[in-house]
Amino acid sequence: DVAKRAGVSKSTVSRVLNHPDSVKEKTRTAIERVIRELNYSPSYFAQGIRTGKTKTIAMLVPEYSNMFYSEMFRGVEDVALAHGYMVLVCNTERHSNSEEEYIEELLRRNVDGIIYNTYQINEKTIRYLQEISDKIPVVFMDRIFHKNEGISYVLTDGYNSTRKAVHYLFERGKRNIGYIRNTEDIAVIEERYQGYLQGLRDCGL
């Protein structure tokens, strides 16, 4: 309908929607006017049938109430929206079985990528994610799992940042430096604790 009213081919309309810079300004302006007149909105579902893409990213988190993950989501969503993507947040509630069920469901929904966060490392889940990373992009968060080439990850260095925090306090005359440890079964918390201990050793405390 847009192509017919604008007097152009469907492929030209498609280029305006997907690669507007490749279309002459006069033609692009005319097509955009018709799009507004017809109140046309492209269907990602329909496009997905043809392209195999859904413009959707899944972000798996072990506990959405954790402020760390809600802040991360805001950053991920800002970048995703700027590139025309939506973000699904899947709260796995710390259970590895839920993680695998979520991943299988996400694959059925044909998501374009997965951002994976976890509290506890489950080797079976990690291997599964490594296998599917050949089909869709997977980014591991907050931990280096095996250091294999081709595995994408974003790492927060809890060990060295906590070690530096001890140095910071020591340099300001503090000698009795406490640490609130929380639980031992979360890898990143244990790394921070080890960084704290190393910081004490560095400073002779």
Side-chain angles (χ1 to χ4, degrees):
D1 293 342
V2 171
K4 187 175 181 180
R5 182 178 291 195
V8 298
S9 67
K10 287 186 285 186
S11 61
T12 302
V13 175
S14 178
R15 288 205 310 277
V16 168
L17 292 171
N18 297 294
H19 307 286
D21 293 340
S22 67
V23 182
K24 292 180 180 178
E25 184 178 357
K26 183 178 179 181
T27 304
R28 185 177 71 246
T29 302
I31 292 172
E32 289 173 344
R33 183 179 66 251
V34 172
I35 287 173
R36 289 192 297 272
E37 291 172 356
L38 295 178
N39 196 28
Y40 171 71
S41 179
S43 166
Y44 286 127
F45 176 76
Q47 290 178 349
I49 294 173
R50 178 174 53 83
T51 65
K53 302 292 184 181
T54 59
K55 305 290 279 187
T56 306
I57 297 170
M59 179 173 152
L60 273 66
V61 299
E63 188 177 35
Y64 188 63
S65 59
N66 184 329
M67 185 182 296
F68 177 82
Y69 295 118
S70 58
E71 287 294 315
M72 181 191 293
F73 170 71
R74 289 178 63 183
V76 170
E77 186 178 49
D78 286 346
V79 176
L81 289 174
H83 290 83
Y85 283 78
M86 294 293 291
V87 183
L88 299 175
V89 180
C90 302
N91 187 13
T92 59
E93 291 290 346
R94 304 191 185 196
H95 300 302
S96 58
N97 287 342
S98 296
E99 291 179 345
E100 291 176 38
E101 290 168 6
Y102 261 125
I103 294 165
E104 290 175 3
E105 186 63 35
L106 293 169
L107 293 177
R108 284 194 286 269
R109 293 173 186 270
N110 204 31
V111 296
D112 294 327
I114 294 174
I115 299 173
Y116 177 71
N117 300 270
T118 188
Y119 282 150
Q120 297 177 331
I121 300 171
N122 181 293
E123 289 294 334
K124 183 181 176 184
T125 303
I126 300 305
R127 284 196 300 271
Y128 181 47
L129 284 166
Q130 286 178 301
E131 289 172 7
I132 69 170
S133 68
D134 291 335
K135 302 173 185 175
I136 67 170
V138 178
V139 178
F140 294 99
M141 299 299 296
D142 207 40
R143 189 148 172 98
I144 305 174
F145 294 102
H146 303 305
K147 297 184 178 179
N148 289 345
E149 289 188 10
I151 300 298
S152 300
Y153 60 85
V154 176
L155 172 69
T156 57
D157 191 349
Y159 178 89
N160 279 310
S161 55
T162 310
R163 184 179 178 182
K164 288 178 181 178
V166 174
H167 282 251
Y168 176 86
L169 294 172
F170 181 80
E171 289 163 5
R172 280 152 186 78
K174 311 304 178 185
R175 297 296 180 265
N176 296 313
I177 301 170
Y179 182 82
I180 300 174
R181 189 177 187 184
N182 202 334
T183 180
E184 296 179 25
D185 62 348
I186 298 176
V188 291
I189 289 179
E190 189 61 19
E191 287 176 1
R192 294 172 195 152
Y193 177 63
Q194 292 302 321
Y196 160 73
L197 293 179
Q198 185 59 53
L200 294 181
R201 288 191 289 267
D202 295 342
C203 298
L205 300 179

